[in-house]
Amino acid sequence: MEGQHNKLVRIFVGGLGESITKQDLHSLLSSFGNVEAVETIRTKGRSFAYLDFLPSPTDDKSLSRLFSKYNGCVWKGGKLKLEKVKEHYLVRLKRQWDEDAMSKIEHVSDKPATTDKLEKKPTKESLKTKQLYIYFPRLRKVTY
């Protein structure tokens, strides 16, 4: 968790109480860094959230301090469980599309302007040197 003070981190916050709002989470965790986005999910008897967190640029250990302080603590009727998770799938998908587009652009620009080998038509001499053998099983014959 150390050394990631300038990278956006996605955090799962589980065990939220029913009365907790996005604003509550934002105000609770903003002392350790910048909370970019909060996404809460509520189902029958379960409440959890995903948040995009940018650790404080001045404090290298702000992310580890956040986890040590709030992971397992009881807050507003729920026992918090914090975990570091993968980035949001839509963000990852967009990044991969952009990388693929850039690699295709680079690949096209690396090709030579003329492709003589592909455009060259076979000559009569080159066709004479190549032989094609076809075997007909019923005739038990090979034709050239």
Side-chain angles (χ1 to χ4, degrees):
M1 288 181 210
E2 297 175 10
Q4 295 187 3
H5 59 278
N6 58 358
K7 187 177 178 186
L8 193 68
V9 179
R10 190 156 172 90
I11 300 174
F12 167 81
V13 183
L16 296 176
E18 293 295 323
S19 62
I20 295 176
T21 63
K22 292 180 182 183
Q23 198 63 15
D24 291 337
L25 281 171
H26 190 276
S27 62
L28 177 72
L29 304 175
S30 62
S31 61
F32 292 97
N34 189 15
V35 179
E36 297 286 323
V38 179
E39 188 179 336
T40 58
I41 295 102
R42 299 194 189 279
T43 61
K44 295 179 182 177
R46 285 183 60 183
S47 293
F48 55 94
Y50 289 100
L51 50 102
D52 294 328
F53 182 76
L54 189 62
S56 174
T58 57
D59 187 7
D60 288 342
K61 297 184 179 183
S62 64
L63 191 60
S64 61
R65 288 189 315 118
L66 170 84
F67 275 84
S68 65
K69 183 171 183 178
Y70 291 115
N71 194 17
C73 82
V74 177
W75 182 61
K76 291 193 176 185
K79 185 176 180 181
L80 298 182
K81 179 181 178 183
L82 274 67
E83 291 181 15
K84 195 173 168 184
V85 295
K86 294 179 183 178
E87 64 185 335
H88 195 279
Y89 73 95
L90 291 175
V91 173
R92 185 178 68 237
L93 191 62
K94 184 179 182 330
R95 182 177 44 82
Q96 289 173 346
W97 285 347
D98 292 342
E99 289 171 359
D100 288 346
M102 291 303 293
S103 68
K104 285 181 182 177
I105 290 171
E106 291 172 1
H107 184 66
V108 168
S109 65
D110 291 344
K111 287 185 179 178
T114 60
T115 54
D116 294 334
K117 292 181 179 178
L118 295 177
E119 294 175 6
K120 190 182 273 187
K121 293 182 180 179
T123 62
K124 289 182 181 180
E125 292 175 6
S126 67
L127 290 175
K128 287 181 183 177
T129 59
K130 295 181 182 178
Q131 292 185 352
L132 179 65
Y133 298 103
I134 301 174
Y135 177 69
F136 294 98
R138 292 192 179 186
L139 300 175
R140 295 180 186 231
K141 210 174 197 184
V142 177
T143 60
Y144 300 100

